[in-house]
Amino acid sequence: MTDAFGGAWWSIELPEGWRGDQDEDCATIVSPDEIGALQVSAFKNEETVVTEEDLNAFAEERLDASAVSERVTLGTFDGLTIDYTESDEDGDTWWREWVLRCGRILLYATYCCDVREKGTEDAAVDAILDTLCGHEEHDGDSMPEGVDDEEHDRPEPDDDDDDDDDDDDEDA
């Protein structure tokens, strides 16, 4: 059994027991064991489709420069992925990152866990991301069909924002 979860411009299917929570910056998805966290943020270009140049520019700003990227297709999205280990004073962290596009939507996803748990949830995370579906025609004011708005802490749109000069909108 799976549950639909997502933002205004994207959706995924969560396996039984996995849960998703949404705040104004991103969606966070965790397994019942809470080994790691998958986080997803989406941006919509109101003018044109996300180009290869847009994808690469975003990736250069976000992805670890020392890691080698690979091309991927996940559901209706395509783009780049990398994985690497990061060390700091708190220990070693296993990271996986994706920069993906579908039409006018650019999606940035990360997964991280303690390096000792590396690979434990990779198959499940891959299966979840394989269900990615873009909803670029969606207006962003409500959840897409099939995604239950009542189950998610999605912020209400800000009606006071009359700034039409902003080319990119953000949606978690």
Side-chain angles (χ1 to χ4, degrees), residues 67-155:
V68 177
S69 64
E70 294 180 37
R71 297 291 307 178
V72 293
T73 299
L74 299 167
T76 60
F77 286 80
D78 73 282
L80 304 169
T81 185
I82 64 166
D83 52 347
Y84 59 95
T85 300
E86 182 178 77
S87 299
D88 62 22
E89 63 275 356
D90 295 327
D92 295 336
T93 303
W94 171 243
W95 284 94
R96 299 179 68 197
E97 299 184 45
W98 298 263
V99 177
L100 305 166
R101 66 180 175 167
C102 176
R104 295 181 295 149
I105 304 163
L106 184 126
L107 190 123
Y108 177 58
T110 64
Y111 173 82
C112 68
C113 67
D114 186 289
V115 74
R116 293 170 294 201
E117 300 289 347
K118 175 182 175 180
T120 303
E121 295 183 330
D122 283 358
V125 169
D126 291 344
I128 290 168
L129 292 176
D130 275 339
T131 69
L132 265 169
C133 184
H135 307 285
E136 77 172 282
E137 71 286 347
H138 193 264
D139 64 11
D141 290 336
S142 61
M143 299 301 276
E145 187 174 330
V147 178
D148 187 357
D149 197 18
E150 300 277 323
E151 295 179 8
H152 305 34
D153 297 327
R154 188 169 181 277

Side-chain angles (χ1 to χ4, degrees), residues 4 6 11 14-15 19 34 43 59 66-67 92 103 115 135 153 160 169:
S11 63
L14 297 180
R19 70 178 194 285
E34 297 186 14
F43 311 88
S66 65
D92 295 336
V115 74
H135 307 285
D153 297 327
D160 296 333
D169 290 332

Side-chain angles (χ1 to χ4, degrees), residues 154-172:
R154 188 169 181 277
E156 292 298 318
D158 184 3
D159 293 333
D160 296 333
D161 185 13
D162 294 329
D163 182 12
D164 293 332
D165 296 334
D166 192 11
D167 287 342
D168 293 330
D169 290 332
E170 183 176 340
D171 173 56

